[in-house]
Amino acid sequence: MGIEIKKGEEKEIIVEFDYTPERVEKIKLIYGRQWHPEEKFWTIPYTKDAVNKLLDIFANEEIVIDSSLNIEVNQTEKQLEKLWMRSFLQEVKDEIKLQNYSSKTCDVYLGHIRRYVEYHAKKPKELKENDVREYLLLLLEKQERSSGYTNQALSAIKFLYNEVLEKERVTVNIPRPKKGRKLPNVLSEEEVAEILSVLKNYKHRAILNLVYSAGLRVSEVVSLKVEDIDSERMLIRVKQGKGKKDRYTLLSEVALKELRRYSKKYRIEEGWLFPGGKEGTYLTERSVQRVFKKACRKAGIKKEVGIHSLRHSFATHLLEKGTDLRYIQKLLGHKNLKTTERYTHVSKKNIEDIKSPLDYLD
C-alpha cells in the first residue's frame, strides 16, 4: 500500500498508509497533523502548505489522491527527481537480480550507484569516463576512502554501464585503484577461550562456538538449518556461501555438544537452526555481531576485533598446528589460494623459533 489521500471533515484531509517507522517520522514533520487511533489514519490541514509538504516528503512513494479533492498533482522538480531516482534504482535492482547476484551485493551496488549519480546530478547516460575518474578521485583523495571501498564503487559503476545502460566503452579503460594488503586481526587461543567462557546463554554459546570451530562467516552461521549439521560424519554443510557455492567444513565435538544443549532447551528440531523473532526468519547478522562485541567487553579483550576475527583465528590456529594450507582453503571456501596465504603472515609458526638479535648482545 502506498500513500492514500482522501477527503475528510471540513478543512482537513485524511492520509492512510501501512505503518513503518520512517513514514510516521515523515508525517510528523507536517504542522497540525493528528493521529486517529480508532480509525487508524492521520489527518492534516487542508492547506496549500500542508499539502505541498505531504507531497514533498512522500515524493518517492506511490501516492493515490481522491479525485474529489482539489489537489494539483503537478510534481515539483525535486519531487520528479525523487521519482526518477526511485524508478532508475528499481531498474538497476531488477538487472542485478536477473544476473543472480546475492542480496548483499545488490544492496552494496545500489548504494554506490545512487551516490555516484547524486554526486554528478545528471542522468547516467550523460556521464563520460572523465566523470567516473572524477568520482573515484573524490572517494580516494577528498573522502579518503579505502582502496577496497573505491574498487567496490568502480565495480558497481561498471555494472551500471555494462549491464544496465549497455555502454561498456565508458568505464572499460579505467584502472582499478591498487589494493593495499591488510593483515587480518587474529585472537590468540587463550583469548578465544576467554570469550567463549563468558557466554551464559545457550544460543549465544552455540553460535560463537560454531563460528570459531568451523571458520564460518556470520552470514553462513545464521542461515544454517538443522539438516546442515551432519553429526555422523562430523561435518557442517554450508549452502550457498560466498560466491553462491556449497562446501563442507568441520563439526567440532565441543560445538556439537553446545548445539545439543541449545536445541534441547529451545526445542529446535527442524527448519532454521537459529530462528529469528518473526516466524519463518532466521537470526540477523547484526544480532550475532552484538553478542560477540558484548562477550569481548565482558572478557576484557582490548583488540579491535569483530565477529569475522573468529574465522581468521580458526584459519591461523589450524595453520599453526600444521594443517596444510590447501585444506584450510577448502574449509574456508576461498576461491584463490592467495587469499588463504595471508594467514601465513600472522601465524606464530616458525617465527616463535627465531631469536631476536638483541638477545645475543648479552
Side-chain angles (χ1 to χ4, degrees):
M1 178 182 178
I3 310 301
E4 293 189 6
I5 302 175
K6 301 177 181 179
K7 191 172 183 179
E9 300 292 335
E10 188 178 1
K11 295 184 180 181
E12 71 175 21
I13 56 176
I14 296 169
V15 182
E16 293 183 316
F17 50 74
D18 288 336
Y19 170 82
T20 69
E22 294 77 14
R23 284 173 167 175
V24 172
E25 288 302 314
K26 284 181 179 180
I27 201 166
K28 284 183 177 179
L29 297 174
I30 300 174
Y31 179 77
R33 88 285 178 200
Q34 187 175 352
W35 168 244
H36 300 265
E38 291 185 4
E39 295 87 355
K40 304 290 183 184
F41 61 64
W42 293 82
T43 56
I44 66 169
Y46 192 8
T47 64
K48 184 177 180 180
D49 287 345
V51 170
N52 285 340
K53 182 73 172 178
L54 178 70
L55 294 176
D56 182 56
I57 61 178
F58 290 113
N60 63 337
E61 300 209 44
E62 181 183 1
I63 300 177
V64 179
I65 302 175
D66 190 327
S67 59
S68 65
L69 290 169
N70 185 26
I71 295 177
E72 294 185 6
V73 294
N74 294 331
Q75 304 288 323
T76 65
E77 185 177 341
K78 182 179 178 183
Q79 290 167 345
L80 288 172
E81 181 63 26
K82 285 183 177 179
L83 287 171
W84 174 85
M85 179 62 79
R86 182 188 177 198
S87 175
F88 163 69
L89 290 178
Q90 185 60 51
E91 182 184 356
V92 176
K93 186 176 183 179
D94 290 343
E95 186 59 37
I96 293 173
K97 287 183 176 179
L98 287 172
Q99 298 279 350
N100 203 26
Y101 284 77
S102 69
S103 59
K104 187 171 288 187
T105 300
C106 181
D107 293 340
V108 170
Y109 273 25
L110 284 175
H112 281 302
I113 290 169
R114 177 182 56 77
R115 288 186 288 271
Y116 166 64
V117 174
E118 287 178 346
Y119 169 73
H120 286 293
K122 291 190 291 186
K123 297 293 190 292
K125 288 184 178 179
E126 300 172 5
L127 300 172
K128 306 298 180 184
E129 185 171 318
N130 285 340
D131 295 306
V132 183
R133 289 181 180 275
E134 178 188 336
Y135 183 70
L136 295 180
L137 286 172
L138 168 80
L139 296 180
L140 286 169
E141 296 179 357
K142 293 184 179 179
Q143 295 186 5
E144 297 182 346
R145 296 288 190 174
S146 68
S147 58
Y149 181 93
T150 309
N151 267 313
Q152 204 175 60
L154 178 54
S155 293
I157 294 169
K158 280 195 170 188
F159 180 89
L160 169 65
Y161 284 100
N162 298 351
E163 306 297 336
V164 181
L165 303 176
E166 297 182 353
K167 293 180 67 174
E168 186 173 358
R169 60 183 177 83
V170 175
T171 59
V172 73
N173 295 320
I174 295 176
R176 289 187 174 275
K178 190 174 181 181
K179 192 174 181 179
R181 187 179 72 183
K182 188 176 180 181
L183 295 177
N185 291 326
V186 174
L187 294 156
S188 69
E189 291 180 339
E190 292 75 20
E191 288 171 326
V192 173
E194 190 61 35
I195 290 170
L196 297 178
S197 70
V198 299
L199 296 166
K200 304 303 179 186
N201 182 287
Y202 285 7
K203 188 174 188 178
H204 298 168
R205 287 181 64 86
I207 292 172
L208 295 195
N209 269 275
L210 274 180
V211 172
Y212 171 67
S213 66
L216 298 175
R217 300 178 178 92
V218 65
S219 59
E220 294 169 345
V221 73
V222 295
S223 59
L224 283 175
K225 290 189 172 181
V226 173
E227 65 197 48
D228 297 327
I229 306 299
D230 189 342
S231 57
E232 290 186 8
R233 298 169 63 204
M234 294 303 289
L235 294 172
I236 300 172
R237 182 180 180 182
V238 181
K239 296 178 184 175
Q240 299 292 285
K242 191 173 182 181
K244 295 203 169 183
K245 294 180 180 179
D246 290 2
R247 75 177 191 279
Y248 281 99
T249 186
L250 308 175
L251 175 59
S252 154
E253 291 183 5
V254 174
L256 179 59
K257 182 179 178 182
E258 293 293 344
L259 267 178
R260 283 173 172 163
R261 291 175 64 193
Y262 152 72
S263 60
K264 183 178 180 181
K265 181 175 178 62
Y266 288 81
R267 297 179 182 177
I268 305 298
E269 297 177 355
E270 58 182 5
W272 300 117
L273 191 57
F274 303 109
K278 293 182 179 180
E279 187 176 352
T281 65
Y282 53 76
L283 196 64
T284 64
E285 295 178 26
R286 191 176 295 274
S287 297
V288 178
Q289 290 162 350
R290 285 198 295 263
V291 168
F292 178 76
K293 283 292 185 183
K294 185 177 180 180
C296 284
R297 287 194 299 269
K298 199 170 181 180
I301 305 298
K302 304 299 182 183
K303 291 180 179 178
E304 290 293 325
V305 290
I307 183 69
H308 206 66
S309 298
L310 288 179
R311 176 174 158 89
H312 294 321
S313 303
F314 162 83
T316 305
H317 298 164
L318 280 182
L319 187 63
E320 289 173 348
K321 286 176 168 52
T323 306
D324 187 276
L325 202 61
R326 291 193 178 275
Y327 287 122
I328 298 174
Q329 177 192 3
K330 288 184 178 181
L331 293 173
L332 293 175
H334 286 161
K335 182 179 179 181
N336 197 321
L337 185 61
K338 286 186 177 179
T339 307
T340 319
E341 285 176 348
R342 61 182 172 164
Y343 295 112
T344 62
H345 300 287
V346 292
S347 171
K348 295 188 301 179
K349 187 181 179 183
N350 299 326
I351 296 178
E352 61 187 9
D353 297 326
I354 302 173
K355 195 172 183 179
S356 168
L358 179 63
D359 295 332
Y360 290 102
L361 298 183
D362 187 14

